[in-house]
């Protein structure tokens, strides 16, 4: 699968990591990335929204049990990469700047958590 352009302009996820840590995380990446895609398949279109959170927690617990904290770190990296690409695609398709989409996300968060504002 060609991933040219994936995360274009973003720093290399491996930069700044020690060589041993880099190898450990890289070894986990394919399987944990597969699990992140499976999580998204179970979550997209799920109703009620609370089931999405439960799916995420179940996935995180599974990754923690199988791969430990290193696996959770890879899960966060994988989901962040997928989310980043989708925000970029959405911005491009809608002709909106990235910041506008992120501002909308933050506004949604503020609306659901007014006490945190």
């Amino acid at each position: 699968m060609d991933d040219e352009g994936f995360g274009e302009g973003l720093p290399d996820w491996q930069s700044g990591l020690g060589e041993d840590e880099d190898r450990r995380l890289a070894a986990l990446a394919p399987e944990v990335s597969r699990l992140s895609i499976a999580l998204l398949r179970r979550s997209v279109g799920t109703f009620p929204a609370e089931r999405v959170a439960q799916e995420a927690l179940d996935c995180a617990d599974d990754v923690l049990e199988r791969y430990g904290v290193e696996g959770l770190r890879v899960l966060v990296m994988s989901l962040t990469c997928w989310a980043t690409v989708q925000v970029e695609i959405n911005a491009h398709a809608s002709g909106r700047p990235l910041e506008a989409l992120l501002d909308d996300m933050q506004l949604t968060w503020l609306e659901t958590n007014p006490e945190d504002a």
Side-chain angles (χ1 to χ4, degrees):
M1 181 175 169
D2 182 21
D3 63 354
E4 189 172 315
F6 180 84
E8 192 173 334
L10 295 175
D12 182 0
W13 71 273
Q14 297 173 337
S15 64
L17 300 178
E19 206 171 300
D20 289 338
E21 183 178 24
D22 181 43
R23 274 195 292 275
R24 284 193 312 272
L25 295 179
L28 297 176
E31 178 59 16
V32 175
S33 292
R34 185 192 66 75
L35 292 172
S36 73
I37 295 168
L39 168 62
L40 292 171
R41 284 187 187 280
R42 289 189 308 273
S43 300
V44 171
T46 299
F47 184 81
E50 292 81 14
R51 281 188 48 214
V52 174
Q54 188 60 54
E55 289 289 347
L57 291 173
D58 290 348
C59 181
D61 289 343
D62 183 41
V63 169
L64 180 60
E65 184 178 319
R66 288 190 202 187
Y67 305 106
V69 173
E70 300 273 321
L72 285 179
R73 294 177 72 210
V74 173
L75 180 65
V76 169
M77 287 190 300
S78 177
L79 291 171
T80 301
C81 287
W82 290 117
T84 298
V85 169
Q86 291 309 309
V87 168
E88 291 172 354
I89 289 170
N90 188 311
H92 181 73
S94 67
R96 297 175 63 200
L98 288 169
E99 284 301 316
L101 290 173
L102 296 170
D103 289 346
D104 284 350
M105 291 170 71
Q106 187 171 18
L107 182 60
T108 299
W109 173 79
L110 288 170
E111 289 171 349
T112 59
N113 299 292
E115 65 278 354
D116 293 332

